[in-house]
Amino acid sequence: MKRILATAGLAAMLAALLAACGAPATAPESETGSGDTAPPAGALNIYSARHYDSDKQLYAAFEAETGIKVNVRESGAPELLETMRAEGSRSPADVIIASDAGALYRFQQAGFTQPVRSAALEAAIPARYREENGHWFGLTKRARIIVFDPQLLSDAEVDTYADLAEPGLKGEVCVRSSTNIYNLSLMGELIERNGADAAAEWAKGVAANLARPPQGGDTAQIEAVAAGQCSAALVNHYYWVRLAEGPPEDRQKTSRTRLSFPDQDGAGTHINVTAAAVAANSASPENALRFIEFLATPRGQELLTTETKEFPLVEGAPLPSGLEQLPDFRQSDFAVQNLGQHQAAAQAIFDQAGWN
Ligand code: FE
């Protein structure tokens, strides 16, 4: 079921027209909160796998701008998937937000998203960061990079993902579990880039280099490198930036480490997204889309990234503090909608390699 976007301008015109006809109208943005114009009916129910204080500001800003009340259910993406499964067609969800294109793929595969068209989103978000039929839209970017100990390794020793599988790094590498979506998505891209056989060889090589069994989240990998438990680890960039922007004890950890943005001379560093979808059974898909469009405005982008330290995806959005210390780097131009289809193959490769 395809929906055609009412752009903000069109919506305002429509509202004015309806008002002139004496029909109930949605509040034009400029009149929000003015009292005599009722806000659009029905609260918007957002299912979010994010958990940041700054998101409260984000929702408040949207409510203030549109008069649309927002209810939020925050939980992990797997839990939200299970919740929606249990709710079935009676799910009150209007918007789904989750990190990693691989997570959105799972919601889409389960039939929990619907395709929508939005001229605003299609203009603001490059095609490689959104689902081609409008099932979901990437909003912020994250890079999966290598954090390493510069006392033990040179830049050249860890300037590719392939380096992590080199015999010279035996006993030096830390990773988190392969069931983690970030690793599944990275593997999905490596399968596309190099083929399944080469990707499997790589996984075996990394597994043979592990300093310890896969464990912990991305922050724990950085801490392990800083503590000398391993020399190199795979992490999403923002975990490092958050530590670097944190209290002195956290900054001390990052100061002992260095970052590598892999594959600068090749396909570029793996990029993933935080993305949002209009839920399949949304009672107000127009308002749901309006919310996602708000996330793609400079203000929405700022509030999405200020605490997370992800990269804004929309041109003209301000860069959150801390990101200025990262180098310019070559980003993979891989279409993130293609990551999810490799999840089963990726997991099988990890399992066979012993990367649990
Ligand atoms: Fe994360």
Side-chain angles (χ1 to χ4, degrees), residues 18-350:
L18 287 170
C21 297
T26 51
E29 285 175 12
S30 58
E31 282 181 34
T32 297
S34 65
D36 52 10
T37 311
L44 197 63
N45 295 310
I46 296 172
Y47 282 24
S48 175
R50 285 165 55 102
H51 39 268
Y52 299 101
D53 283 344
S54 55
D55 282 359
K56 294 187 182 77
Q57 277 174 269
L58 184 72
Y59 302 130
F62 176 73
E63 286 180 342
E65 189 173 307
T66 62
I68 300 168
K69 173 138 178 36
V70 166
N71 297 322
V72 183
R73 175 193 278 266
E74 281 186 7
S75 200
E79 290 76 19
L80 290 177
L81 253 176
E82 282 319 303
T83 299
M84 292 188 73
R85 227 182 277 286
E87 291 167 344
S89 61
R90 294 208 293 236
S91 174
D94 295 300
V95 176
I96 301 161
I97 304 175
S99 293
D100 202 288
L104 270 295
Y105 173 84
R106 291 175 178 176
F107 283 97
Q108 184 185 346
Q109 285 296 107
F112 299 159
T113 62
Q114 63 169 292
V116 293
R117 297 294 308 273
S118 162
L121 293 177
E122 286 160 26
I125 301 166
R128 64 181 175 278
Y129 299 130
R130 49 186 161 84
E131 200 278 332
E132 60 189 338
N133 295 310
H135 274 279
W136 46 265
F137 298 87
L139 295 162
T140 59
K141 291 189 288 187
R142 55 260 310 283
R144 196 139 182 84
I145 61 175
I146 297 171
V147 58
F148 68 99
D149 182 338
Q151 310 236 48
L152 299 172
L153 295 173
S154 69
D155 294 71
E157 281 175 294
V158 281
D159 63 0
T160 64
Y161 294 112
D163 282 336
L164 294 177
E166 287 296 320
L169 263 64
K170 195 154 199 72
E172 301 293 335
V173 179
C174 280
V175 292
R176 72 190 288 177
S177 164
S178 67
T179 59
N180 176 257
I181 194 74
Y182 303 158
N183 284 337
L184 289 171
S185 285
L186 173 62
M187 177 56 81
E189 184 166 344
L190 295 180
I191 290 171
E192 287 263 348
R193 285 186 191 182
N194 309 323
D197 290 347
E201 279 309 305
W202 178 77
K204 271 187 219 158
V206 176
N209 284 345
L210 294 185
R212 59 179 190 178
Q215 60 194 269
D218 281 18
T219 300
Q221 313 308 316
I222 300 167
E223 289 171 342
V225 173
Q229 291 175 309
C230 35
S231 309
L234 272 172
V235 295
N236 283 353
H237 80 276
Y238 52 86
Y239 291 103
W240 189 92
V241 175
R242 282 185 217 155
L243 288 178
E245 293 275 285
E249 61 269 27
D250 285 345
R251 290 203 301 271
Q252 214 174 30
K253 293 170 192 162
T254 53
S255 69
R256 292 200 194 105
T257 67
R258 199 170 149 79
L259 300 180
S260 158
F261 290 77
D263 292 6
Q264 293 303 288
D265 296 330
T269 300
H270 170 68
I271 298 293
N272 212 307
V273 292
T274 288
V278 177
N281 294 300
S282 169
S284 45
E286 290 79 12
N287 285 351
L289 190 54
R290 205 165 162 196
F291 176 73
I292 298 172
E293 287 172 347
F294 172 73
L295 299 181
T297 63
R299 179 66 176 145
Q301 290 277 294
E302 182 181 12
L303 289 168
L304 271 176
T305 58
T306 182
E307 186 180 345
T308 68
K309 308 303 181 188
E310 293 168 283
F311 294 101
L313 197 148
V314 171
E315 230 165 287
L319 205 63
S321 66
L323 290 190
E324 72 287 341
Q325 60 190 307
L326 304 183
D328 275 335
F329 64 100
R330 177 168 182 188
Q331 305 179 7
S332 169
D333 58 9
F334 186 78
V336 298
Q337 70 164 356
N338 295 330
L339 292 170
Q341 63 198 343
H342 297 295
Q343 278 175 19
Q347 191 65 69
I349 284 173
F350 281 131

